[in-house]
Amino acid sequence: MTPTGPAERTGPAERTGPAERTGPARVLGLFPPGTRQDGDGMLAVGGCRLDELAREYGTPVLVVADGAVRQRAHDYRERLAARWPDSRVVFASKAFPCTAVQRLMVSEGLGLDVAGGGEIVAALAAGADPATLVLHGNAKTTEEVQLAVRSGVGIVVVDNLDDIDRLEAAVPPGRVQACLVRVIPGVRASTHAAHATGHEGSKFGLSPKAARAAIARIEASDRLRMDGLHTHVGSQILVASELAAAVAPLAALGEFPVYDLGGGLGARYTYSDHPPTLDDYLDALIGEARRHLPPGARILIEPGRSLVAETAVTVYTVTTVKPGATTFVAVDGGMGDNLEVALVGQRFEATIADRIGGGFPVTVVGRHCESGDVLSADVPLREPRVGDLLAVPVTGAYCFTMSNNYNGARRIPVVFADAGQPRMVVRRDTWEDLLARDVHPSVPTPARR
Ligand SMILES: Cc1ncc(COP(=O)(O)O)c(C=O)c1O
């Protein structure tokens, strides 16, 4: 699979000029770097033609340009280190919690943020050094805290005073667990309400006043070590200053050896999104760190979405085209593989995989029994037909995460594509998988008394 073609996306998406606002270049700008259009018009991601991937792996399929993920992870690490040498990028696993992605991040020198026991298990299976894991959760269970301590998780982020009780009970005598305290910075970012976490009243973390009490308790403990503070403003944030605004409130709580400044940088989902570049974001964030934090401190950041969103594409098959006042183009997936639309109203663009640019507005819908199962409303497609492949870009973050079996959908496979070589890293659910957890009706159940 080594196609050549007339158009290629080479670098990070930037603002488009007037000539590029209608043609294939605009569409390609949302696809992973290196995506190209073959001579017959077919898109190739990571050097692999989407029609060949669809034939090999079926549809829907989540195609990840893993070379682009690697490059992004590398850029994150280098550019943060250039601004603040004692630093670490910690990938927020929740954005794409698959061991192949976690393994890739680990191989690029990133730590892993894990929210809960399942992500600890996955990170360890991916070969992560437990010392590089950062555990989160606003409702950690005793079992999860015990698993973290037993596994040697490097940092536990304390979200509430009950976390401290559980940790003190879980840490054996003679051992010490490093902790950060999660502080609500009082920043309301301009993002969907479901994505905002930095405002007063957020369910995540502690107000500065409550954080002082948690800090005092950890400092008084012989089993816990008070390493520093954590903050996270939210997700899909397109204004760098809103992310940086969380830094100053931390300084009021004293000086510590470690500060984890969270994730949250937004991705470019649509033609009209213009998120800050990585450099703009880091300039703003580290600029504030230089102003407010001790120069000898260690800084962690936890990007998820902005590391992976733009590196993947979901490929569907068009199952029906229903003309009318609204033309509905239905595909063989939907909210089973992409909940972002129904959950937070995220807009996605789309294109027929071999007819890119131009066309007339249609509404792309999924196969699920919800009117809200819309993948893209009013999206221009060129002559959509039954059997066409439809490509939806920017599906690398939180789509795999929230995939589900609604209406008996089999969760979709993940295929890495790089230099013309495809590699399946997660297979599609089988029909048997759908029944695997049922206690078989032919097995007699104990009589109830
Ligand atoms: C504590 C924490 N850190 C990092 C992230 C990653 O955020 P994003 O994927 O927006 O970069 C999240 C997700 O919201 C989070 O809750």
Side-chain angles (χ1 to χ4, degrees):
M1 295 193 187
T2 340
T4 52
E8 174 166 348
R9 179 185 162 183
T10 51
E14 297 297 347
R15 286 161 205 267
T16 48
E20 293 168 323
R21 287 208 183 105
T22 52
R26 180 177 83 140
V27 182
L28 271 170
L30 290 179
F31 278 76
T35 297
R36 58 196 176 207
Q37 217 186 335
D38 219 351
D40 61 355
M42 180 58 69
L43 283 171
V45 172
C48 299
R49 286 173 60 100
L50 296 187
D51 56 345
E52 293 183 14
L53 293 178
R55 254 196 307 280
E56 176 79 21
Y57 302 103
T59 60
V61 57
L62 182 56
V63 179
V64 179
D66 54 305
V69 181
R70 200 175 280 289
Q71 183 64 50
R72 187 74 168 161
H74 174 87
D75 290 349
Y76 247 110
R77 190 167 56 81
E78 296 266 293
R79 293 179 196 190
L80 176 63
R83 290 168 174 82
W84 194 284
D86 188 5
S87 59
R88 171 171 277 158
V89 179
V90 176
F91 170 56
S93 299
K94 70 198 80 176
F96 203 150
C98 123
T99 52
V101 171
Q102 290 174 317
R103 198 172 295 120
L104 193 156
M105 298 300 180
V106 168
S107 74
E108 285 300 321
L110 274 55
L112 297 179
D113 145 358
V114 286
E119 290 184 9
I120 297 177
V121 169
L124 296 178
D129 174 356
T132 65
L133 302 186
V134 179
L135 176 67
H136 283 286
N138 70 305
K140 302 177 194 77
T141 63
T142 300
E143 183 190 20
E144 288 172 322
V145 169
Q146 288 170 343
L147 175 65
V149 170
R150 212 172 44 243
S151 310
V153 164
I155 293 176
V156 174
V157 178
V158 167
D159 178 274
N160 51 65
L161 298 181
D162 301 304
D163 275 353
I164 300 178
D165 292 340
R166 288 195 173 87
L167 278 164
E168 288 200 301
V171 177
R175 263 192 57 192
V176 168
Q177 175 64 52
C179 299
L180 304 181
V181 170
R182 179 163 178 168
V183 180
I184 298 175
V187 175
R188 186 172 283 281
S190 43
T191 185
H192 190 281
H195 280 326
T197 60
H199 53 288
E200 284 141 28
S202 167
K203 75 165 183 169
F204 301 100
L206 295 164
S207 67
K209 183 163 173 253
R212 281 184 205 280
I215 292 166
R217 272 200 60 191
I218 296 170
E219 283 176 339
S221 169
D222 59 354
R223 307 210 172 169
L224 308 180
R225 194 178 71 218
M226 180 58 212
D227 268 13
L229 304 178
H230 172 277
T231 193
H232 176 67
V233 169
S235 197
Q236 188 53 14
I237 293 167
L238 300 173
V239 181
S241 59
E242 293 180 354
L243 292 159
V247 177
L250 301 182
L253 291 166
E255 294 202 349
F256 298 93
V258 182
Y259 293 87
D260 182 335
L261 304 179
L265 177 62
R268 182 168 185 257
Y269 283 91
T270 71
Y271 304 123
S272 53
D273 283 342
H274 298 293
T277 63
L278 186 50
D279 286 321
D280 288 346
Y281 158 62
L282 291 174
D283 280 346
L285 191 75
I286 300 304
E288 280 298 274
R290 287 203 192 97
R291 271 187 281 282
H292 299 287
L293 303 183
R298 166 160 247 231
I299 287 187
L300 312 180
I301 59 170
E302 295 173 338
R305 189 183 300 275
S306 59
L307 251 172
V308 289
E310 296 175 37
T311 65
V313 176
T314 307
V315 185
Y316 302 92
T317 299
V318 173
T319 54
T320 177
V321 177
K322 196 186 284 181
T326 299
T327 296
F328 289 108
V329 174
V331 297
D332 54 356
M335 63 194 296
D337 56 80
N338 185 343
L339 257 188
E340 290 275 272
V341 188
L343 209 57
V344 295
Q346 178 58 58
R347 176 165 176 89
F348 287 80
E349 306 290 353
T351 179
I352 300 298
D354 61 353
R355 293 192 296 282
I356 299 158
F360 292 96
V362 302
T363 292
V364 176
V365 295
R367 60 169 290 266
H368 298 273
C369 300
E370 303 283 334
S371 291
D373 180 25
V374 173
L375 281 168
S376 191
D378 288 326
V379 64
L381 293 186
R382 234 169 76 197
E383 299 161 41
R385 295 188 284 263
V386 172
D388 278 344
L389 295 177
L390 181 99
V392 175
V394 203
T395 53
Y398 298 100
C399 289
F400 174 86
T401 315
M402 290 186 265
S403 60
N404 61 79
N405 298 118
Y406 184 27
N407 291 137
R410 290 173 297 167
R411 285 169 301 172
I412 73 175
V414 179
V415 173
F416 278 8
D418 188 38
Q421 296 298 321
R423 179 165 66 97
M424 183 165 67
V425 295
V426 180
R427 65 166 172 77
R428 187 183 308 282
D429 272 339
T430 60
W431 298 123
E432 291 72 31
D433 287 332
L434 296 187
L435 303 175
R437 294 190 307 133
D438 288 10
V439 179
H440 200 280
S442 68
V443 177
T445 51
R448 289 184 187 209
R449 273 177 276 179

